[in-house]
């Protein structure tokens, strides 16, 4: 009996290996990857499909998440486009992906945002980095940008880092946020002459985006615009 079980387990293992090899072969012929974790050879891997089924906001519901006008705001010389007003149902979704470990929501949201904006003039996306003292094991802005890159076919550059610890925005009032130092970001690679767009989850005062713009401009990049999932406060909207 144990021998039969052993033979069956061996066949099952061989079958799983064959499936993986087949997926890699397909990936060479027709490059695709899981929209959530990036695993090659499959549009949505089994583990991510299971997690998404359990998620409160599955990808098929992304259309209903984003309704209304695109929000356009300016901070310094930078124009920032946001897909929705933060003070709606999207607020709980953003809290889930930032504070409840719902990483699987980020890339589908990024893809949906890219669909809403249609095209981009940027060749690269630069996400706002995690704070130095962050305990989160992923950067939601990075993951959102990955989804946008997958839709637009552009590259992401994880080249920005904080130069000092800054209190989290949730712990600051508007005046304190606006007083953020001008040298809080550093660019770690050569981006001179590259056409880039900046990505963050929420636009509130615009100070973070403005400081990242300054760092990218100092590094010689051409900053096209900024993108965020949502915008809070007073804004101008466009259809």
């Amino acid at each position: 009996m144990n021998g039969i079980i052993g033979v069956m387990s061996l066949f099952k293992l061989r079958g799983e290996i064959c499936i993986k090899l087949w997926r890699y072969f397909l990936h060479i012929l027709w490059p695709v990857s899981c929209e959530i974790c990036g695993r090659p050879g499959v549009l949505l891997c089994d583990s991510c499909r299971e997690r998404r089924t359990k998620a409160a906001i599955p990808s098929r519901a992304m259309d209903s998440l984003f309704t209304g006008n695109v929000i356009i705001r300016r901070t310094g010389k930078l124009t920032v486009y946001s897909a929705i007003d933060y003070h709606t149902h999207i607020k709980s979704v953003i809290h889930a992906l930032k504070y409840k470990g719902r990483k699987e929501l980020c890339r589908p949201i990024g893809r949906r945002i890219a669909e809403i904006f249609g095209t981009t003039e940027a060749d690269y996306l630069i996400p706002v980095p995690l704070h130095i003292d962050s305990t989160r094991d992923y950067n939601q802005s990075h993951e959102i940008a990955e989804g946008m890159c997958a839709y637009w076919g552009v590259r992401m550059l994880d080249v920005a880092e904080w130069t000092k610890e800054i209190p989290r925005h949730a712990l600051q009032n508007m005046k304190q946020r606006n007083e953020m130092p001008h040298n809080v970001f550093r660019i770690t690679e050569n981006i001179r002459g590259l056409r880039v767009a900046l990505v963050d989850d929420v636009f509130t005062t615009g100070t973070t985006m403005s400081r990242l713009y300054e760092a990218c401009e100092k590094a010689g990049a051409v900053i096209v615009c900024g993108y965020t999932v949502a915008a809070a406060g007073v804004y101008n909207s466009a259809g």
Side-chain angles (χ1 to χ4, degrees):
M1 187 66 177
N2 290 336
I4 295 175
I5 294 174
V7 171
M8 291 177 64
S9 298
L10 180 61
F11 275 107
K12 181 179 179 181
L13 178 62
R14 287 181 176 178
E16 291 174 351
I17 293 173
C18 289
I19 291 173
K20 289 182 179 179
L21 290 174
W22 177 246
R23 285 176 175 173
Y24 278 109
F25 175 71
L26 288 178
H27 184 64
I28 294 173
L29 295 179
W30 180 43
V32 296
S33 57
C34 176
E35 67 176 30
I36 295 175
C37 71
R39 183 178 298 176
V42 60
L43 290 172
L44 184 65
C45 70
D46 294 338
S47 59
C48 288
R49 181 182 293 109
E50 182 179 355
R51 287 201 305 271
R52 196 177 73 176
T53 300
K54 296 177 181 179
I57 311 294
S59 289
R60 63 177 177 273
M62 285 296 156
D63 287 349
S64 62
L65 271 182
F66 297 95
T67 57
N69 293 334
V70 169
I71 298 167
I72 304 173
R73 298 181 68 177
R74 286 192 63 83
T75 174
K77 294 183 285 186
L78 179 67
T79 300
V80 180
Y81 299 92
S82 304
I84 192 171
D85 183 352
Y86 178 67
H87 300 292
T88 60
H89 50 274
I90 202 67
K91 182 176 181 178
S92 61
V93 177
I94 291 174
H95 275 228
L97 60 88
K98 289 181 70 171
Y99 306 121
K100 297 181 180 180
R102 300 298 297 276
K103 178 181 177 180
E104 74 275 8
L105 299 176
C106 296
R107 295 193 185 188
I109 285 175
R111 290 180 66 92
R112 181 61 186 134
I113 290 171
E115 291 174 359
I116 289 171
F117 294 130
T119 60
T120 182
E121 295 181 4
D123 299 313
Y124 302 88
L125 302 183
I126 298 179
V128 171
L130 273 180
H131 284 271
I132 294 174
D133 61 344
S134 176
T135 58
R136 195 179 310 127
D137 61 358
Y138 66 92
N139 178 3
Q140 74 280 0
S141 297
H142 170 107
E143 296 298 323
I144 291 166
E146 284 280 19
M148 299 169 76
C149 286
Y151 183 84
W152 280 330
V154 301
R155 289 181 57 192
M156 187 177 65
L157 296 176
D158 240 336
V159 298
E161 64 181 19
W162 294 88
T163 61
K164 59 187 70 178
E165 290 187 15
I166 299 293
R168 297 180 185 178
H169 284 351
L171 304 177
Q172 293 181 303
N173 57 40
M174 294 298 181
K175 184 177 183 295
Q176 290 171 323
R177 295 185 190 189
N178 286 322
E179 292 174 347
M180 182 186 296
H182 285 269
N183 59 343
V184 292
F185 289 114
R186 169 172 51 232
I187 303 301
T188 60
E189 296 180 19
N190 181 16
I191 60 172
R192 184 168 298 279
L194 301 184
R195 294 178 61 82
V196 305
L198 313 182
V199 178
D200 202 1
D201 53 358
V202 180
F203 184 113
T204 306
T205 64
T207 309
T208 301
M209 278 282 202
S210 181
R211 299 298 183 262
L212 183 55
Y213 176 97
E214 292 169 2
C216 291
E217 185 180 48
K218 184 178 179 180
V222 178
I223 305 95
V224 174
C225 65
Y227 297 107
T228 70
V229 177
V234 179
Y235 53 80
N236 296 319
S237 61

